[in-house]
Amino acid sequence: QVQLVESGGGLVQPGGSLRLSCAASGSIFRINTMGWYRQAPGKQRTLVATITSGGNTNYADSVKGRFTISRDNAKNTVTLQMNSLSPEDTAVYYCYAYVTSTVLLSKDYWGQGAQVTVSS
């Protein structure tokens, strides 16, 4: 089994910054893609950013230039630095990882979610 544990998030004023971190643990053979998705009230979960084990990144258009995703392959962690936050960024942010386990089964894993609220 694999667990994703998120940290960070909270309340920030418009224009402010926050950092989300996620650590994966458990029966991990290899972590392929890691990333972040978000879900605002009454809306579907959508992609924020992903990063491959080789460091290739992909961002939603709405966060390009403001958010930066990074990962530490040795520590199985992924971080999302969020700058210039606006109220439209308010959502629950979910860590994601596509993991190959030690029994060589590959599947998606999700964290429990971290609330990010941007409000004055």
Side-chain angles (χ1 to χ4, degrees):
Q1 191 63 293
V2 174
Q3 299 80 37
L4 301 181
V5 178
E6 298 147 347
S7 59
L11 174 65
V12 65
Q13 292 187 341
S17 298
L18 280 176
R19 178 188 295 257
L20 297 175
S21 296
C22 174
S25 63
S27 303
I28 298 170
F29 175 71
R30 181 180 62 242
I31 301 179
N32 304 292
T33 298
M34 300 187 80
W36 295 90
Y37 287 70
R38 66 186 180 186
Q39 186 167 18
K43 296 187 177 181
Q44 291 187 332
R45 189 176 299 188
T46 59
L47 168 76
V48 177
T50 59
I51 184 168
T52 67
S53 57
N56 293 318
T57 58
N58 180 46
Y59 293 93
D61 287 342
S62 60
V63 307
K64 284 181 181 177
R66 300 187 299 123
F67 291 11
T68 302
I69 190 170
S70 60
R71 67 186 279 179
D72 185 328
N73 291 330
K75 296 181 178 179
N76 291 333
T77 59
V78 62
T79 299
L80 185 68
Q81 176 65 42
M82 303 182 290
N83 299 328
S84 302
L85 285 161
S86 72
E88 290 70 34
D89 296 313
T90 295
V92 177
Y93 284 69
Y94 294 92
C95 178
Y96 161 82
Y98 186 67
V99 179
T100 300
S101 70
T102 52
V103 295
L104 300 183
L105 293 176
S106 299
K107 60 178 288 188
D108 298 330
Y109 289 90
W110 295 90
Q112 78 281 4
Q115 178 68 48
V116 172
T117 302
V118 185
S119 175
S120 55

